[in-house]
């Protein structure tokens, strides 16, 4: 069973920031928060991951709350190509399995 | 061009036939994985291999078989024992690092339809 809870769907206007929330209230101290996205009929694409600190890369920013029970993925300037299903996954450092829930379907509109 | 390749992209088979899906990576990754995705659902782990000549069952291994004779290759066979084989199959790979595993990267997937 997925250890995370995400909204089923969200909309975002093109050019605006998309903020995707994720609840992981049962996360353990050595578990990372990973984000992937999947565009229709393609393989999941890795976006970003973090443990405690906020992280930023060329694709997105990840904000993790101090108690680590929730996080937010931020796409700073959403484009139509960001329309996809976004998965928030909690994974232990030495765990091979990624547990995917049903994710958040983000629709970016013009 | 480094990456993970899966072939073919679309595959059709008659019921009762075994079929083998290909997964190749040139990333020098140690571990490889097979996942299955049904419409509107997340991915579920079928099998994984941490090193050559070794593999472990995932959550839904029944009706599937794998081999890992080479580091670069991890083929998945969907056997006639798999009751509902029509699905989207995804292969992933990653490095093994001290005490754990690194980020998994996915191939483009193979959509299998059993008629």
């Amino acid at each position: 069973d997925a250890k995370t809870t995400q909204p089923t769907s969200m909309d975002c206007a093109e050019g605006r920031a998309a903020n995707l929330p994720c609840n992981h209230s049962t996360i353990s101290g050595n578990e990372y928060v990973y984000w992937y996205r999947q565009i229709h009929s393609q393989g999941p694409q890795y976006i970003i991951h973090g443990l405690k600190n906020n992280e930023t890369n060329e694709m997105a920013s990840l904000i993790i709350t101090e108690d680590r029970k929730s996080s937010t993925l931020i796409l700073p300037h959403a484009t139509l190509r960001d329309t996809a299903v976004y998965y928030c996954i909690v994974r232990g450092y030495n765990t091979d399995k990624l547990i995917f829930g049903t994710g958040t379907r983000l629709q970016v509109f013009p | 061009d480094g990456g993970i390749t899966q072939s073919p992209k679309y595959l059709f088979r008659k019921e009762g036939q075994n079929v083998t899906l290909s997964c190749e990576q040139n990333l020098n990754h140690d571990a490889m994985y097979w996942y299955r995705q049904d419409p509107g659902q997340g991915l579920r782990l079928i099998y994984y291999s941490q090193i050559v000549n070794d593999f472990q069952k995932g959550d839904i291994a029944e009706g599937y078989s794998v081999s890992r004779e080479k580091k670069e290759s991890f083929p998945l066979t969907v056997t006639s024992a798999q009751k509902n084989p029509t699905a989207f199959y995804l292969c992933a790979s990653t490095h093994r690092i001290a005490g754990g595993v690194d980020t998994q990267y996915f191939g483009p997937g193979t959509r299998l339809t059993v008629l």
Side-chain angles (χ1 to χ4, degrees):
Chain A
D1 292 325
K3 296 184 178 181
T4 62
T5 304
Q6 300 176 253
T8 303
S9 63
M10 295 182 65
D11 290 337
C12 179
E14 190 176 20
R16 303 298 293 269
N19 298 294
L20 289 84
C22 180
N23 182 291
H24 32 79
S25 57
T26 61
I27 193 169
S28 301
N30 63 350
E31 290 182 318
Y32 288 76
V33 179
Y34 276 78
W35 283 84
Y36 286 81
R37 72 180 182 185
Q38 187 175 26
I39 296 168
H40 183 63
S41 294
Q42 296 182 22
Q45 178 188 22
Y46 166 75
I47 301 173
I48 199 168
H49 75 281
L51 183 63
K52 296 181 185 178
N53 300 323
N54 298 338
E55 302 287 345
T56 295
N57 63 20
E58 64 278 4
M59 289 184 68
S61 294
L62 174 60
I63 308 298
I64 302 174
T65 58
E66 195 168 339
D67 63 8
R68 305 214 315 127
K69 292 185 176 181
S70 65
S71 61
T72 301
L73 178 75
I74 301 172
L75 308 178
H77 306 287
T79 71
L80 298 179
R81 287 178 293 186
D82 292 322
T83 293
V85 177
Y86 287 76
Y87 295 99
C88 169
I89 298 164
V90 166
R91 183 177 78 83
Y93 181 70
N94 58 358
T95 302
D96 284 271
K97 185 168 68 175
L98 294 177
I99 301 176
F100 284 77
T102 52
T104 295
R105 184 172 298 277
L106 176 68
Q107 179 69 54
V108 180
F109 57 92
Chain B
D1 208 358
I4 304 170
T5 56
Q6 292 186 243
S7 60
K9 188 170 178 62
Y10 299 96
L11 191 55
F12 297 88
R13 279 294 182 270
K14 291 183 179 179
E15 193 172 346
Q17 289 182 334
N18 291 356
V19 59
T20 297
L21 281 59
S22 166
C23 178
E24 304 278 333
Q25 53 94 5
N26 60 4
L27 301 168
N28 199 32
H29 282 172
D30 310 289
M32 298 184 73
Y33 307 81
W34 275 105
Y35 291 84
R36 168 186 171 134
Q37 187 176 33
D38 292 289
Q41 303 297 313
L43 282 66
R44 292 182 291 167
L45 184 64
I46 304 172
Y47 267 100
Y48 64 103
S49 168
Q50 297 174 334
I51 57 171
V52 174
N53 293 322
D54 187 45
F55 47 83
Q56 288 79 39
K57 293 182 179 179
D59 296 323
I60 55 166
E62 185 175 350
Y64 299 98
S65 66
V66 293
S67 63
R68 186 86 186 279
E69 297 177 2
K70 297 187 300 182
K71 189 175 185 179
E72 306 79 30
S73 177
F74 190 41
L76 173 75
T77 297
V78 184
T79 75
S80 57
Q82 167 52 231
K83 291 182 171 49
N84 191 12
T86 294
F88 189 41
Y89 290 88
L90 290 149
C91 179
S93 69
T94 186
H95 280 299
R96 293 203 65 78
I97 52 182
V101 289
D102 206 348
T103 301
Q104 288 185 27
Y105 295 92
F106 286 83
T110 291
R111 188 168 298 280
L112 172 65
T113 302
V114 176
L115 307 170

